[in-house]
Amino acid sequence: QAEEELKAAWSLQARQLREMGHRERLLPSALQRAGEQQLESFKTRVMQACSPPAAAGSRGRPVTEQQVIEKVRQISDENQQSHEREKSLQKELSSRLAKEKEVSANIEVFKNSLHKLQ
């Protein structure tokens, strides 16, 4: 009886092991499909977000992937230019503040000199 129980337990474990191996073989393709579905869903949402409303005079023409790519590139370029402009303005502001401090210091020196002369 103990031998029969051991054989049954071994048989169950062997079946479970085969099932686990089967699942492991299926996992990569399932992950790939899930990734592809996520990518397709994201692409669909981007295309919908980039499509102009029908009332805006688009005449029902769908936006192409190339148009979306160009728009994303344009936005990215504009963003980069904006950051560069911001840096430039920050430098200019810092320079002007430094000059303002210098002028204020010179005015104080001038006031003191003028006061001494009087």
Side-chain angles (χ1 to χ4, degrees):
Q1 183 182 0
E3 187 178 330
E4 291 297 319
E5 288 175 4
L6 284 174
K7 283 182 181 179
W10 180 83
S11 178
L12 176 64
Q13 286 183 344
R15 232 183 359 255
Q16 288 174 341
L17 188 59
R18 282 193 303 273
E19 188 177 318
M20 285 174 52
H22 180 68
R23 287 181 187 167
E24 283 182 0
R25 286 189 298 278
L26 292 178
L27 190 59
S29 61
L31 285 173
Q32 183 178 356
R33 277 194 310 277
E36 289 169 355
Q37 288 172 346
Q38 271 188 321
L39 185 59
E40 189 61 33
S41 173
F42 176 72
K43 177 184 155 191
T44 300
R45 290 194 317 264
V46 168
M47 294 295 288
Q48 288 172 345
C50 292
S51 294
S58 66
R59 298 182 194 162
R61 291 183 303 217
V63 174
T64 66
E65 287 182 35
Q66 188 61 36
Q67 288 172 318
V68 171
I69 291 168
E70 289 301 319
K71 188 64 174 178
V72 168
R73 281 190 183 128
Q74 177 188 354
I75 291 169
S76 178
D77 289 346
E78 289 172 358
N79 190 30
Q80 181 65 30
Q81 290 171 358
S82 177
H83 283 299
E84 290 171 6
R85 177 76 175 138
E86 181 182 2
K87 285 180 185 177
S88 173
L89 290 172
Q90 285 288 350
K91 284 181 183 178
E92 185 179 338
L93 180 61
S94 294
S95 174
R96 287 186 182 194
L97 287 174
K99 286 180 183 178
E100 186 178 318
K101 284 182 181 180
E102 184 183 342
V103 168
S104 292
N106 287 340
I107 289 174
E108 283 303 314
V109 169
F110 179 72
K111 282 182 181 178
N112 289 338
S113 295
L114 188 59
H115 192 291
K116 286 179 185 177
L117 283 174
Q118 289 178 343

